[in-house]
Amino acid sequence: MVPAPIARLPWHVMILLFAIAAFGCVVLYSAAGGNIRPWASNQTVRFIIFTIMALTLARMPVSRFASLALPGYAVMLVALILVELIGGVRGGSQRWINLGFMQLQPSEFMKPMIVLAVAQFYARLPVGELRTWNAVWPALALIGIPWALVLVQPDLGTATMILAGGVTVMFLAGLPLRLFIGTALTVAAIIPIAFSFLHDYQQKRVLIFLDPESDPLGAGYHISQSKIAIGSGGVFGKGFLNGTQSHLDYLPEGHTDFVFATMAEEWGLAGGILLILAFMLLFRWGIRVALRTEDKFARLTAAGLITTVFFYVAINLMMVMGLAPVVGIPLPFMSYGGSSMLTVMLCIGIIMAIDRSGRQRRTDWG
């Protein structure tokens, strides 16, 4: 009774995404004081559009993504350079290119693109060279150049995501563990030196993370109010539309970066656990797709992209709970904004394509 193209859609994943996004719109509706405009309505429209985009990507062959990985990386690299040359400045940061009809932020597209590029490099690399220096320096160059360009915008959060996504693929490719341990120890040793090169506001974020109570009405205000909102929600929350921290404007950015605190105040620990469980089911699906595929590029890409989505969730939750510095990482499908949702749905769409390709291959063999 159901047409085959519709029946073959990954409905279990789509229903999960719809549930998270719908909950996000409910939270945004409450954050706006019970008004569907502007946040909830715009978020709904964006989710529908990006879902159609993801389903379109899911119909593409994996070989197409492999062939476009390095050229797409080069295009995004040129775009990042153009940001430095002609990019618009907003809030002290130079991150956007004005296209007339929209403000393009190339660094957002670089998050999934770095995963595709590094995965393609290791898919082409002969197995015998995996433990040689030739398996390390090209990948470091692929990661390091866009990381540096984004860091000087300055955008520490996006630069961290690019670095994390690329290094994750390097780890999953099978490089020696001692390389990562040695690098981690080296990074730990140079942190005091690197700290001196950060911008003043970035240094303040790190210091406030270490001691948020040192400036509760200044730089530590975000974290302090976020903790108050989360803690005041208790087990079952204050109830829908009954949050005080967000409605009385005590909680800054309660509809974007700190939307989890807005949610936790009204829905409590129970709502937070259900949301985290939903994200865990999404991560489980992405990992299973990576484990089931036989193609090396597809396996590294699926694992790298779902890890990118995981970093979004993990860093945001740690940030709003005071377990990490405030770096401006939104919570997927919950935080208001189009750039992050576009990036996450690109990741989901490509993983869907890998899943579809794997299922077709197993059907053909069966």
Side-chain angles (χ1 to χ4, degrees):
M1 297 294 293
V2 181
I6 298 178
R8 284 197 295 264
L9 291 175
W11 284 107
H12 60 295
V13 179
M14 293 177 59
I15 291 174
L16 182 62
L17 294 177
F18 281 133
I20 298 174
F23 186 41
C25 290
V26 169
V27 174
L28 291 176
Y29 174 82
S30 176
N35 294 318
I36 196 171
R37 290 180 174 271
W39 302 329
S41 58
N42 291 346
Q43 191 84 337
T44 301
V45 172
R46 287 168 177 164
F47 178 74
I48 294 172
I49 293 174
F50 293 151
T51 298
I52 296 173
M53 176 203 69
L55 293 176
T56 303
L57 288 175
R59 304 292 299 176
M60 295 176 61
V62 177
S63 58
R64 182 70 59 83
F65 296 111
S67 63
L68 293 176
L70 295 178
Y73 170 87
V75 171
M76 287 299 102
L77 201 60
V78 171
L80 287 176
I81 295 174
L82 289 177
V83 168
E84 292 300 311
L85 298 177
I86 61 173
V89 179
R90 186 191 309 168
S93 298
Q94 189 171 2
R95 305 175 186 176
W96 300 268
I97 298 177
N98 189 355
L99 300 180
F101 61 94
M102 67 173 292
Q103 296 286 335
L104 177 67
Q105 188 176 354
S107 58
E108 280 294 327
F109 292 95
M110 185 56 79
K111 293 175 185 176
M113 195 57 65
I114 193 67
V115 171
L116 292 172
V118 178
Q120 177 68 336
F121 166 72
Y122 284 111
R124 292 182 177 183
L125 186 73
V127 178
E129 295 188 21
L130 195 58
R131 293 183 174 270
T132 66
W133 180 241
N134 290 333
V136 178
W137 72 263
L140 291 179
L142 286 173
I143 300 169
I145 296 174
W147 173 80
L149 289 172
V150 173
L151 193 64
V152 300
Q153 289 182 356
D155 190 350
L156 181 60
T158 301
T160 301
M161 292 285 292
I162 291 173
L163 179 64
V167 171
T168 297
V169 177
M170 292 180 67
F171 176 78
L172 296 174
L175 293 182
L177 183 61
R178 64 178 182 273
L179 173 66
F180 297 94
I181 296 176
T183 302
L185 294 175
T186 302
V187 170
I190 65 174
I191 282 178
I193 301 175
F195 180 79
S196 63
F197 288 95
L198 295 177
H199 291 263
D200 291 340
Y201 79 94
Q202 293 172 335
Q203 291 182 356
K204 186 171 292 186
R205 284 180 178 179
V206 176
L207 295 175
I208 288 300
F209 159 66
L210 297 174
D211 185 14
E213 303 304 324
S214 63
D215 189 10
L217 298 179
Y221 185 78
H222 287 68
I223 295 178
S224 297
Q225 295 301 320
S226 178
K227 288 181 178 180
I228 292 173
I230 295 173
S232 64
V235 177
F236 298 106
K238 296 178 179 178
F240 181 54
L241 295 175
N242 291 326
T244 55
Q245 292 295 108
S246 58
H247 292 172
L248 297 177
D249 293 332
Y250 286 110
L251 180 65
E253 307 298 333
H255 64 295
T256 53
D257 293 349
F258 288 86
V259 70
F260 183 83
T262 300
M263 181 280 301
E265 184 183 18
E266 296 189 357
W267 298 85
L269 179 65
I273 290 177
L274 288 176
L275 180 62
I276 293 173
L277 286 176
F279 279 120
M280 289 179 66
L281 290 175
L282 182 64
F283 303 148
R284 176 177 176 268
W285 164 73
I287 293 171
R288 293 183 66 181
V289 171
L291 292 176
R292 285 197 299 256
T293 185
E294 300 293 331
D295 180 71
K296 186 175 182 180
F297 169 78
R299 183 170 63 253
L300 291 176
T301 298
L305 292 178
I306 199 62
T307 303
T308 298
V309 181
F310 167 79
F311 282 134
Y312 265 105
V313 176
I315 294 175
N316 179 271
L317 295 185
M318 292 174 66
M319 181 181 74
V320 300
M321 296 178 191
L323 302 176
V326 178
V327 291
I329 298 295
L331 186 61
F333 307 112
M334 299 288 293
S335 297
Y336 178 75
S339 297
S340 62
M341 184 182 290
L342 172 60
T343 302
V344 172
M345 290 304 283
L346 282 172
C347 295
I348 297 298
I350 296 173
I351 298 174
M352 284 181 177
I354 295 171
D355 186 26
R356 175 175 170 271
S357 176
R359 283 188 281 107
Q360 284 184 340
R361 187 178 293 109
R362 288 191 296 272
T363 302
D364 294 340
W365 287 351

